[in-house]
Amino acid sequence: MTTNDQYFLSFIEPVNQVAAQNAKKMEELIYEDAGSSIVKARLFLEAILDEVYKIEKLESSYGQSLYDRISYLTRNEYIDRKIQQSFDTIRLSGNKAAHDGNFNDITAAFKLHKEMYHIAVWFVEVYTIDQVKIPIYEVPKPPKPDVDIEDLVHQKILQLFGTNSIGKENKDVGPAPMEVPSDNSNEIFENNLPDGESFLIRELRRLQDSSQEAIENANQFSRFKNYMHVDRQIQLDFEKILRGRANTNKGNLILLCGSVGDGKSHLLAYLKENKSELLEEYTIYNDATESFSPGKNAMETLEEVLKGFSDEQIDQNQDKIILAINMGVLHNFINEKHQTYSYTRLKQFVETSGLFSPEITTHFSEGNTDLLSFGDYHSYELTESGPTSSFYLTLFQRIFSKHELNPFTLALAEDEKRDSNTMAHENFRMLQSEFVQKQIVNLLVEAIVKHKLVISARAFLNFIADIILPDDDDQRPIEFMSEFEILKNSVPTLLFNRKERSGILHAMSKLDPIHKRSVHIDHIVIELNTLNDWDGLISEHIHSAAGKAWLKPLANDAQLIGESFNLFFRTFIRLAYLSNQSFATNLIDSNFASYLRYLYNFNVKNKDSIITFYGEIKSAIFNWKGTPKKDYIYVNKADEKFRLAQQLNLKPYASHLKHSSEEILSSFKSTILIGYHDGDSSNREFLDIDFPLYELLMKVQEGYRPNKKDKEDAIKFVEYIEKLMTFGEQRNEMLIHYPDDKKYYKIKKDDFDRFVFEREN
């Protein structure tokens, strides 16, 4: 407050004098007696509610509890979700202050001070028609110009409340002070921030796409990038090829084949910076489709780059070239008729490698040419017990391990010395749990398989920053945040409720455990609605210390409804899923787990599993078209008066599969390739089955009837069935089914090639 006329929330005095006076008294008491200040906040809330009931001409609220009154307004949509949480925040702290004479928490009083401002603004905007000038929010100032108190408030409250001067909202903050470089710019962690700034948040920002570290530069690899780098199998195979080709006078072409965003550029940049001796003899074309001149198209550019490996020059060529190329571009190049040179030997090499075949091609060498295919190297591995990802888990370790050289751990330690604890720090500590890390990696693998995401190291690091750093650069200490603000800015909410920020988070929103139908979740809902104390429920299901600390302030009240209850419930389920192995196991997607088991068994050629899978798919094929009896499939539509069916004997083909003795597969086909024939194995048809198709077929197998959208989404499967239908016996025999009469007739050829029509039992 600046004058006697302009006290805290004085702008509501014309419409609610009682509420305005309680707000004024609340602010006056906040430094002197925080407990009494909180009680005044509760009285302010009661006065607001009284006025709302009066204006809305609702029944008398006499005798009703504060909880009942807020609940009534919430259920009948008089208040929105954001304001309801402000109401609940004041109610919960007010209850503590009213019933516990020792409750005298000044941080709680500061929380309520801002919530009162939100409520007052809402009340004026909704229930007045006059033009009211609403001041910006101001943090309450000490009652006297006491230097010691002023310093304390400035250091511990004002700065971390989002202000840059006492009593003024930080609306137009200038650029942050520039970091002063240390004497050694190569240090992995620089201890050079002034008081009030967070080392951990500075380090976490280096993970974001917008940071300077996100820019790939083949000529410079900082110590931070080297620290974050994780060796992958394709890198090791690439290095092996380079060493094998070193110090020879023969020409050599190394094709790095893949797609956009799979890491070709990063791999080349890393080797150029750290193992440049391996690349000394090579000319590198990282984007060979970029024309050397405006008059050349992509194919002409490639022809010029690869002329030394044409049929005309390859035997005399001594050039050494590394070519990073999109698989589609390579396919077009080797099949194109070129003007100056021919490339039949290069085409034969690519075809022999199996790059475009169902076979797994990681690296292939022949003569003076080598090929590395990024397509069959994956960011996750398959095992008999399920998928995992050493790549993502190692990146997690780089960020969250307590190793003495970890810049993030060093940053956290420095912040703890300064007694800095924001939601970013809380989220970081939660993610130090190895089980939580594994759960998030499992979600990432699920997103890759279900939604066909390509998650590069850079995208992964940005994702980690997204689930730690709250919106709006909120750096308030956790003690100055309301219970609901904490939940909104916690890992579970940032992980599953930020779909607009990236493709990964959009996929995470679809994998949110609150969307799963489970008796275990239903049981928790019942307990939350029947128990008066949720403390035991939290202790039983939440196995994260940070998570328990976020939920337990709300546990003893157990009187939340509307959005307040929904936020608590969503956070509870998400925390249980991320921290409790038993709970998470109960929510596993059975179709996804089954698909990954089949994917592993097809890649190792486990015969028993393959037989079972073929049986399931055959059943789904017959159910898709409809079947009147065993081994018969309908050939016409269901809306016709009678149905025609033919006998279809599908024989599985599995000779294309290769056995692997490895227990952990890092190179594999990410879809399941099946084949059927009609008895002649040379007359076969193949189909790639990804997870979305498998999930649909399992529903069909259980009796689900595919609709128009299903058929559009599974157009390749629809086309595949039509190919299989040519394997049937309709030229020799047809079954006629009258569904209304439940009668069957058969028309077939006899021994003299005459058609015979007869009744079927």
Side-chain angles (χ1 to χ4, degrees):
M1 53 187 174
T2 56
T3 69
N4 290 334
D5 294 332
Q6 295 296 319
Y7 58 85
F8 180 47
L9 304 190
S10 60
F11 62 88
I12 68 167
E13 183 173 351
V15 289
N16 197 324
Q17 186 174 4
V18 175
Q21 291 302 316
N22 277 300
K24 177 182 178 183
K25 194 64 177 176
M26 185 273 182
E27 185 173 84
E28 291 173 351
L29 291 170
I30 200 166
Y31 288 99
E32 180 182 341
D33 185 351
S36 297
S37 176
I38 292 171
V39 172
K40 291 296 182 182
R42 180 188 172 97
L43 293 174
F44 160 84
L45 180 59
E46 290 177 351
I48 291 290
L49 288 171
D50 287 342
E51 193 65 24
V52 171
Y53 268 69
K54 179 181 177 181
I55 295 172
E56 297 289 356
K57 299 180 180 179
L58 302 175
E59 294 182 8
S60 173
S61 61
Y62 178 76
Q64 289 184 339
S65 68
L66 198 57
Y67 166 76
D68 291 333
R69 299 166 73 191
I70 296 173
S71 298
Y72 180 85
L73 295 178
T74 300
R75 287 194 305 270
N76 292 280
E77 300 183 351
Y78 289 102
I79 55 178
D80 60 33
R81 60 179 61 184
K82 184 175 181 181
I83 293 303
Q84 181 208 339
Q85 289 175 358
S86 294
F87 281 23
D88 281 336
T89 299
I90 295 176
R91 176 179 65 83
L92 293 170
S93 293
N95 287 346
K96 293 177 183 178
H99 300 124
D100 182 357
N102 296 319
F103 185 75
N104 195 41
D105 188 350
I106 190 172
T107 59
F110 269 92
K111 293 181 204 176
L112 302 196
H113 189 271
K114 195 164 190 177
E115 299 298 346
M116 291 167 65
Y117 173 79
H118 292 320
I119 291 173
V121 172
W122 166 81
F123 181 79
V124 168
E125 290 178 345
V126 173
Y127 290 107
T128 64
I129 59 175
D130 298 330
Q131 292 292 326
V132 178
K133 184 178 181 180
I134 299 176
I136 62 173
Y137 176 73
E138 295 184 0
V139 177
K141 294 184 294 184
K144 298 178 182 179
D146 189 312
V147 176
D148 293 336
I149 295 179
E150 193 76 34
D151 289 343
L152 174 64
V153 174
H154 184 272
Q155 180 180 6
K156 189 66 180 173
I157 299 172
L158 299 184
Q159 167 206 336
L160 293 168
F161 236 114
T163 61
N164 57 3
S165 62
I166 296 176
K168 298 213 177 160
E169 179 86 359
N170 187 5
K171 293 290 184 182
D172 299 305
V173 182
M178 184 176 293
E179 294 183 11
V180 181
S182 63
D183 293 336
N184 185 355
S185 60
N186 289 322
E187 288 294 330
I188 197 165
F189 175 74
E190 298 181 358
N191 190 341
N192 59 359
L193 288 182
D195 290 343
E197 295 190 33
S198 168
F199 288 99
L200 179 61
I201 292 176
R202 180 193 68 183
E203 297 302 310
L204 291 171
R205 285 174 179 158
R206 299 171 79 174
L207 303 178
Q208 294 176 315
D209 279 340
S210 57
S211 74
Q212 187 174 359
E213 297 290 350
I215 302 173
E216 290 292 352
N217 186 340
N219 299 315
Q220 182 179 5
F221 240 62
S222 65
R223 286 196 64 189
F224 179 77
K225 283 188 176 180
N226 272 325
Y227 172 78
M228 294 302 299
H229 176 79
V230 176
D231 288 344
R232 301 178 68 178
Q233 188 59 46
I234 192 168
Q235 173 196 325
L236 302 180
D237 290 341
F238 187 28
E239 292 178 13
K240 184 177 179 180
I241 290 173
L242 291 170
R243 291 190 179 95
R245 297 288 186 176
N247 302 318
T248 64
N249 294 325
K250 296 181 179 179
N252 176 221
L253 171 64
I254 301 177
L255 297 171
L256 299 180
C257 305
S259 55
V260 177
D262 55 16
K264 295 187 293 293
S265 299
H266 176 83
L267 173 58
L268 291 170
Y270 173 79
L271 291 179
K272 187 170 184 180
E273 179 65 24
N274 293 277
K275 301 180 181 183
S276 58
E277 70 279 1
L278 296 177
L279 303 176
E280 286 178 350
E281 300 177 349
Y282 286 86
T283 301
I284 299 173
Y285 295 97
N286 193 24
D287 184 7
T289 60
E290 184 177 346
S291 181
F292 295 135
S293 68
K296 288 187 173 69
N297 59 31
M299 294 300 105
E300 292 169 338
T301 300
L302 276 174
E303 187 172 3
E304 184 171 341
V305 169
L306 296 175
K307 63 183 179 182
F309 299 91
S310 64
D311 298 338
E312 292 80 5
Q313 298 187 18
I314 189 169
D315 292 328
Q316 296 79 34
N317 178 47
Q318 294 184 349
D319 295 339
K320 290 191 173 184
I321 290 176
I322 295 172
L323 174 63
I325 187 170
N326 183 284
M327 290 176 64
V329 174
L330 178 61
H331 181 272
N332 292 338
F333 179 79
I334 62 175
N335 288 289
E336 174 141 327
K337 186 175 181 180
H338 300 280
Q339 297 178 355
T340 307
Y341 304 100
S342 59
Y343 294 89
T344 55
R345 291 168 70 174
L346 179 61
K347 179 179 180 179
Q348 184 178 359
F349 167 82
V350 174
E351 290 176 347
T352 305
S353 74
L355 179 66
F356 300 110
S357 75
E359 298 179 0
I360 298 171
T361 301
T362 50
H363 53 97
F364 179 76
S365 298
E366 186 177 83
N368 63 349
T369 310
D370 300 279
L371 183 147
L372 278 166
S373 171
F374 280 72
D376 288 332
Y377 289 94
H378 299 279
S379 55
Y380 65 99
E381 297 86 41
L382 295 179
T383 72
E384 189 173 10
S385 59
T388 186
S389 174
S390 57
F391 176 58
Y392 295 137
L393 286 173
T394 303
L395 282 173
F396 259 120
Q397 292 171 7
R398 291 281 194 273
I399 300 170
F400 299 103
S401 73
K402 297 183 180 179
H403 193 277
E404 60 183 3
L405 294 180
N406 180 357
F408 300 96
T409 299
L410 293 172
L412 178 63
E414 287 299 319
D415 281 352
E416 288 175 343
K417 290 178 184 177
R418 299 182 176 190
D419 198 26
S420 175
N421 187 38
T422 68
M423 276 308 298
H425 296 80
E426 289 280 311
N427 289 336
F428 185 89
R429 293 187 188 97
M430 179 185 174
L431 290 173
Q432 286 182 310
S433 162
E434 290 186 6
F435 180 76
V436 174
Q437 294 172 20
K438 289 178 181 178
Q439 282 297 92
I440 294 176
V441 167
N442 289 340
L443 285 167
L444 289 171
V445 173
E446 194 170 347
I448 290 169
V449 175
K450 287 186 174 182
H451 304 292
K452 296 181 170 58
L453 293 186
V454 176
I455 303 177
S456 64
R458 169 47 49 197
F460 174 83
L461 297 179
N462 186 73
F463 162 74
I464 294 300
D466 278 341
I467 65 175
I468 296 178
L469 297 172
D471 284 324
D472 303 324
D473 199 27
D474 193 341
Q475 296 186 37
R476 288 176 294 161
I478 190 171
E479 59 265 30
F480 289 100
M481 301 178 73
S482 74
E483 290 83 355
F484 300 107
E485 286 178 315
I486 289 172
L487 300 189
K488 287 178 180 178
N489 291 288
S490 65
V491 166
T493 304
L494 300 183
L495 176 61
F496 295 112
N497 202 40
R498 258 184 164 182
K499 64 181 181 180
E500 73 286 346
R501 291 184 72 92
S502 71
I504 302 177
L505 287 175
H506 189 269
M508 290 296 110
S509 70
K510 296 180 179 180
L511 302 177
D512 192 339
I514 66 170
H515 299 322
K516 296 180 182 292
R517 299 187 63 180
S518 166
V519 295
H520 304 282
I521 293 180
D522 293 342
H523 182 67
I524 289 174
V525 172
I526 292 171
E527 289 189 307
L528 288 174
N529 281 286
T530 55
L531 296 176
N532 292 323
D533 189 340
W534 297 337
D535 192 80
L537 201 61
I538 293 171
S539 298
E540 177 185 356
H541 292 286
I542 309 303
H543 294 180
S544 162
K548 288 179 181 178
W550 300 336
L551 293 177
K552 285 202 171 185
L554 297 167
N556 297 324
D557 193 86
Q559 288 187 327
L560 300 177
I561 67 165
E563 185 57 26
S564 295
F565 176 84
N566 291 339
L567 178 59
F568 179 91
F569 169 72
R570 289 193 297 264
T571 309
F572 185 103
I573 297 299
R574 292 162 174 169
L575 277 169
Y577 180 80
L578 292 173
S579 68
N580 184 336
Q581 184 171 5
S582 176
F583 184 86
T585 300
N586 291 328
L587 298 186
I588 287 177
D589 182 338
S590 58
N591 276 336
F592 179 73
S594 177
Y595 180 79
L596 266 294
R597 281 195 301 271
Y598 282 130
L599 187 61
Y600 173 81
N601 287 317
F602 264 73
N603 277 279
V604 300
K605 203 173 182 179
N606 182 317
K607 187 175 181 180
D608 291 339
S609 181
I610 292 170
I611 291 172
T612 302
F613 185 82
Y614 268 98
E616 290 180 352
I617 300 305
K618 182 178 178 180
S619 175
I621 289 172
F622 276 80
N623 284 0
W624 185 281
K625 295 285 287 186
T627 175
K629 57 191 298 186
K630 182 175 171 53
D631 293 331
Y632 280 82
I633 189 168
Y634 287 125
V635 298
N636 64 336
K637 296 180 180 180
D639 56 0
E640 298 184 20
K641 290 185 178 181
F642 61 89
R643 304 295 306 276
L644 296 176
Q646 67 166 336
Q647 190 174 18
L648 181 64
N649 293 314
L650 297 178
K651 304 295 183 182
Y653 180 86
S655 298
H656 62 291
L657 302 175
K658 293 183 178 181
H659 175 74
S660 173
S661 58
E662 297 180 11
E663 294 184 1
I664 300 176
L665 302 180
S666 57
S667 301
F668 52 87
K669 285 296 179 184
S670 58
T671 56
I672 298 175
L673 184 68
I674 65 167
Y676 286 103
H677 61 86
D678 59 359
D680 178 1
S681 61
S682 64
N683 186 25
R684 57 184 182 265
E685 295 290 348
F686 288 102
L687 174 70
D688 253 327
I689 300 178
D690 57 13
F691 175 76
L693 177 56
Y694 173 79
E695 185 177 40
L696 175 59
L697 294 184
M698 290 306 97
K699 290 168 62 179
V700 171
Q701 186 196 18
E702 295 170 0
Y704 173 77
R705 302 289 303 189
N707 56 36
K708 182 179 179 182
K709 184 179 185 305
D710 293 327
K711 293 175 182 179
E712 290 173 351
D713 292 343
I715 185 63
K716 289 186 178 180
F717 179 70
V718 173
E719 293 172 350
Y720 182 67
I721 290 182
E722 294 308 312
K723 293 177 182 178
L724 295 182
M725 293 294 281
T726 64
F727 294 169
E729 297 292 326
Q730 62 180 328
R731 292 182 180 179
N732 301 314
E733 174 190 283
M734 290 290 289
L735 184 70
I736 305 171
H737 176 209
Y738 289 89
D740 293 341
D741 299 331
K742 298 181 180 179
K743 292 180 180 180
Y744 295 90
Y745 299 88
K746 185 177 289 186
I747 183 169
K748 62 180 181 179
K749 288 183 178 180
D750 63 11
D751 294 339
F752 296 95
D753 277 346
R754 295 178 303 173
F755 284 103
V756 178
F757 189 77
E758 58 186 33
R759 174 79 179 268
E760 280 282 301
N761 295 325

